[in-house]
């Protein structure tokens, strides 16, 4: 029979795990007489209960102040069954249900365990409000859904290759974004780029008192839905997309008539003429990356611009 564990994929004890034993209940909370003790002010004394009866793993919230979340959905007083791969948010810790065979790391070294009779084990996790992890483990759309549902505030800093993104959250809502501190880049456009990152690390830092004139108005859920749509459309165009390093110049001779172009197409043509670099064209275009890409492809295919050798 497969055995399971809850692995910490975010927080101070990232990589640690709590092994589940079938037929036993696990009380999670801040109280020292619990089975899994999370020493954190966002965790209630008796926060949630995990049951492993009848070969099923379920979790129920015990009336906690800040809630228990499974895959971004808040758990009510009715038990929710956990499946392998499900993610549970308690306080600032994200735990993933894994089979023991797939989990290579034992319980965290800093955890304190005490036995109280045969088969009894209590684990104390001393966890701060700082939240960190890997976006390889928690994809950014899933992480943002968790933070939105649990109404977290702070600055989510994401590092991927040589890129650094900052997403500013207020009660779970993303209200501003930057990439490499480029404040000239539209924050909504920055958001749609950031959620395509699939590798890197993240840190949720305390709220920042910075104020921005052009805050994002859309809800986080709306941003995520539109971002996924844009990503699907860009993937559809993948074989035709110029690389970010591509440089364009006006075609010479310029034979197709300019009068056939729309105002939006003329705007992008002007950017291609003045700048050339696809990366900078995307940054400075007043249109979405998807719309700008589609216009660039059309201008290239219709002979208005040509790729520099």
């Amino acid at each position: 029979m497969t055995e399971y564990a809850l692995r910490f994929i975010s927080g101070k004890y990232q990589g640690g795990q709590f092994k589940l034993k079938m037929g036993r209940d696990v009380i999670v909370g801040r109280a020292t007489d619990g089975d899994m003790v999370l020493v954190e002010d966002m965790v209630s004394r008796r926060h949630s209960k995990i049951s492993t009866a009848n070969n099923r793993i379920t979790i129920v919230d015990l009336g906690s102040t800040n809630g228990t979340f499974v895959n971004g959905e808040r758990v009510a007083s009715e038990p929710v069954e956990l499946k392998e791969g499900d993610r549970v948010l308690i306080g600032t810790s994200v735990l993933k249900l894994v089979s023991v065979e797939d989990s290579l790391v034992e319980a965290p070294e800093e955890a304190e365990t005490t036995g109280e009779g045969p088969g009894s084990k209590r684990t104390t996790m001393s966890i701060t409000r700082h939240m960190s992890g890997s976006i390889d483990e928690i994809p950014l759309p899933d992480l943002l859904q968790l933070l939105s549902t649990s109404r977290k505030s702070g600055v989510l800093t994401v590092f991927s290759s040589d890129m650094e993104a900052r997403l500013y959250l207020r009660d779970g809502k993303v209200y501003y974004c930057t990439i490499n501190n480029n404040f000239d880049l539209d924050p909504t456009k920055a958001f749609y780029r950031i959620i395509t990152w699939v590798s890197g690390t993240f840190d949720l830092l305390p709220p920042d008192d910075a104020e921005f004139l052009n805050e994002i108005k859309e809800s986080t859920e709306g941003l995520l839905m539109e971002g996924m749509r844009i990503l699907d459309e860009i993937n559809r165009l993948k074989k035709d997309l110029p690389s970010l390093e591509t440089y364009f110049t006006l075609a010479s001779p310029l034979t197709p008539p300019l009068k056939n172009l729309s105002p939006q197409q003329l705007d992008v043509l002007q950017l291609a003429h003045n700048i050339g670099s696809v990366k900078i064209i995307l940054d400075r275009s007043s249109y979405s990356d998807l719309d700008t890409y589609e216009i660039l492809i059309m201008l290239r295919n219709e002979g208005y611009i040509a790729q520099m050798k």
Side-chain angles (χ1 to χ4, degrees):
M1 184 174 63
T2 303
E3 295 184 325
Y4 293 95
L6 287 167
R7 185 172 66 196
F8 285 77
I9 59 176
S10 171
K12 179 179 179 181
Y13 291 101
Q14 180 186 350
Q17 71 179 30
F18 184 95
K19 188 174 179 180
L20 298 174
K21 293 185 178 180
M22 301 310 291
R24 282 192 55 200
D25 289 343
V26 176
I27 301 298
V28 183
R30 201 173 69 247
T32 56
D33 60 349
D35 302 289
M36 184 193 298
V37 183
L38 303 184
V39 184
E40 179 190 347
D41 58 4
M42 291 189 67
V43 175
S44 298
R45 289 180 57 78
R46 287 173 56 86
H47 197 101
S48 55
K49 180 175 73 172
I50 300 167
S51 299
T52 56
N54 302 319
N55 292 322
R56 295 171 68 239
I57 301 173
T58 61
I59 187 169
V60 63
D61 188 78
L62 299 177
S64 66
T65 301
N66 293 298
T68 303
F69 300 84
V70 175
N71 299 329
E73 297 293 330
R74 186 162 189 157
V75 176
S77 56
E78 293 298 318
V80 172
E81 185 170 1
L82 297 178
K83 303 294 187 183
E84 186 172 356
D86 283 348
R87 296 177 175 88
V88 180
L89 175 66
I90 299 174
T92 61
S93 297
V94 180
L95 303 94
K96 181 179 180 181
L97 183 66
V98 298
S99 63
V100 173
E101 291 82 357
D102 294 336
S103 189
L104 304 178
V105 186
E106 293 302 320
E109 293 181 2
E110 297 181 42
E112 300 174 3
T113 60
T114 60
E116 295 184 353
S120 178
K121 182 178 182 180
R122 178 177 302 131
T123 301
T124 301
M125 306 289 185
S126 178
I127 298 184
T128 66
R129 296 193 66 165
H130 179 72
M131 184 177 180
S132 63
S134 166
I135 61 175
D136 303 72
E137 282 275 14
I138 316 177
L140 277 172
D142 293 353
L143 176 62
L144 288 167
Q145 184 64 46
L146 282 172
L147 297 177
S148 173
T149 308
S150 55
R151 300 179 64 85
K152 291 286 192 294
S153 296
V155 181
L156 183 67
T157 305
V158 185
F159 300 91
S160 182
S161 299
D162 59 345
M163 308 290 280
E164 176 185 346
R166 289 177 177 266
L167 298 96
Y168 296 79
L169 296 106
R170 184 189 298 125
D171 294 327
K173 182 184 183 302
V174 177
Y175 66 92
Y176 200 81
C177 295
T178 63
I179 298 176
N180 290 343
N181 286 322
N182 179 8
F183 291 94
D184 292 329
L185 179 63
D186 179 80
T188 303
K189 187 181 291 188
F191 179 91
Y192 293 146
R193 292 184 189 178
I194 294 164
I195 62 170
T196 66
W197 298 359
V198 296
S199 182
T201 60
F202 70 85
D203 292 285
L204 180 61
L205 304 177
D208 195 310
D209 59 1
E211 296 183 0
F212 306 100
L213 293 176
N214 55 334
E215 289 190 1
I216 297 173
K217 303 301 183 186
E218 294 87 350
S219 68
T220 299
E221 291 76 12
L223 288 169
L224 288 170
M225 289 180 62
E226 179 63 9
M228 293 299 98
R229 184 194 72 80
I230 290 174
L231 179 59
D232 287 344
E233 289 297 310
I234 288 179
N235 285 334
R236 180 179 59 81
L237 299 171
K238 208 161 196 174
K239 61 183 178 60
D240 296 318
L241 290 180
S243 71
L244 294 177
E245 292 72 32
T246 297
Y247 273 78
F248 282 116
T249 185
L250 286 181
S252 181
L254 181 59
T255 53
L258 294 177
K259 66 180 182 180
N260 291 345
L261 298 179
S262 68
Q264 292 83 1
Q265 292 165 342
L266 285 170
D267 288 343
V268 176
L269 179 67
Q270 185 73 48
L271 287 172
H273 174 59
N274 291 344
I275 299 168
S277 163
V278 169
K279 181 179 184 303
I280 302 177
I281 291 172
L282 290 171
D283 284 353
R284 296 192 182 178
S285 172
S286 57
Y287 312 113
S288 71
D289 286 350
L290 173 61
D291 291 341
T292 305
Y293 268 131
E294 289 180 330
I295 293 173
L296 282 173
I297 291 170
M298 185 282 298
L299 293 174
R300 181 189 62 192
N301 292 347
E302 296 295 324
Y304 288 94
I305 58 175
Q307 185 172 330
M308 294 179 66
K309 303 295 186 182

